Amino acid sequence: VIEEMSIASGVPIPAIYVLEEEHGINAFAAGHTTADAAITVTRGALERLNRSELQGVIGHEFSHILNGDMRVNIRLMGMLFGLLVIGYIGQFVMRGSARGGGRKGGLLVLAGLAVMILGYVGLFLGRLIQAAVSRQCEVVADASAVQFTRDPQGLRGALVKIGALEEGSRLHTAAAEEVAHMLFASGLDRVFATHPPLVERIRALDPSFNEHEFVEVGARMRAAQPLPANGEVDAEAVGAA
């Protein structure tokens, strides 16, 4: 599938990785340029999606590589981290100055407070910008995936399955918050949505979509391939499938 999308998009074949412990349906692209790009998918994507649906997801990620979205993502992450550090510096100055007392200490406390407010307000506004940029990139990537695959039903099917499953696209890693804007679908609940609503994305592909399909598809998937009670994957069952 990666090789096919490489040909369709004109992008060199990237490195390929799998998040073995993640059973939600998700993927992301990373790297600075097309020469050092990598695409990662979750174990859940490989188990839950058919070939056409996986092709739609991979086509979406190739769009991020082709359009340079990865560089934007990395710059946004660096900007937000820098603003967070400014906030921490303000906190550190405030606490250190408060212990010293005196007029000079009071002035330093005020300076630290100002720096802390600047950092955290900047972080808040930065997250708003990050979310807005990410949502626009996702819209373009969905359109490009259809262009690469010539099959809107594949991407549609992947998005429907995400909405149909209880775990959906959720990631359980502690790093999910940091990379949420890079993912194929939102990997966690966030105040600042990094992706358009799932139903909105599906209806852009199929205006006749009815949300009741989530229930129907979820029931079919649970009946066809139930997961073990402990959440572990039955390797033999996967191999047979």
Side-chain angles (χ1 to χ4, degrees):
V1 171
I2 291 281
E3 290 173 347
E4 289 173 356
M5 292 299 95
S6 174
I7 294 171
S9 64
V11 173
I13 295 176
I16 309 165
Y17 298 91
V18 177
L19 298 178
E20 293 282 358
E21 304 300 323
E22 296 290 352
H23 297 294
I25 299 173
N26 226 317
F28 67 88
H32 291 278
T33 66
T34 57
D36 62 4
I39 287 179
T40 300
V41 298
T42 60
R43 170 60 60 185
L46 297 181
E47 291 171 355
R48 300 290 196 178
L49 303 181
N50 62 33
R51 196 178 193 283
S52 175
E53 292 162 351
L54 183 61
Q55 196 175 54
V57 172
I58 297 299
H60 176 102
E61 298 308 322
F62 264 91
S63 171
H64 287 313
I65 297 174
L66 181 64
N67 295 327
D69 296 338
M70 303 177 302
R71 290 192 300 273
V72 175
N73 287 334
I74 290 172
R75 288 170 183 167
L76 286 172
M77 289 173 68
M79 178 189 72
L80 293 176
F81 180 74
L83 292 168
L84 181 62
V85 169
I86 290 173
Y88 284 155
I89 290 173
Q91 279 185 305
F92 178 78
V93 171
M94 277 183 61
R95 290 172 182 171
S97 302
R99 297 191 190 100
R103 185 169 181 275
K104 184 177 179 181
L107 291 175
L108 287 174
V109 168
L110 291 175
L113 178 62
V115 171
M116 183 182 72
I117 292 173
L118 178 65
Y120 286 126
V121 169
L123 182 63
F124 175 81
L125 295 176
R127 289 197 183 281
L128 285 177
I129 294 170
Q130 180 192 49
V133 170
S134 178
R135 287 194 298 270
Q136 186 58 41
C137 289
E138 295 305 317
V139 171
V140 173
D142 281 351
S144 296
V146 174
Q147 179 184 359
F148 296 153
T149 62
R150 310 288 184 184
D151 178 20
Q153 294 305 308
L155 182 61
R156 177 194 185 280
L159 293 169
V160 169
K161 285 184 176 179
I162 287 174
L165 292 172
E166 184 177 347
E167 66 269 32
S169 59
R170 184 173 299 277
L171 296 185
H172 297 287
T173 174
E177 175 70 24
E178 298 175 19
V179 300
H181 62 293
M182 300 172 63
L183 301 174
F184 170 72
S186 181
L188 71 168
D189 298 326
R190 286 171 57 99
V191 175
F192 305 122
T194 54
H195 294 69
L198 197 63
V199 172
E200 183 180 309
R201 293 176 70 182
I202 297 171
R203 285 183 176 152
L205 302 167
D206 177 11
S208 65
F209 171 74
N210 189 315
E211 292 183 51
H212 186 67
E213 188 175 340
F214 287 145
V215 179
E216 297 173 351
V217 171
R220 288 201 301 268
M221 292 179 70
R222 285 189 291 273
Q225 190 183 7
L227 287 174
N230 61 3
E232 295 179 356
V233 178
D234 186 334
E236 293 183 3
V238 172

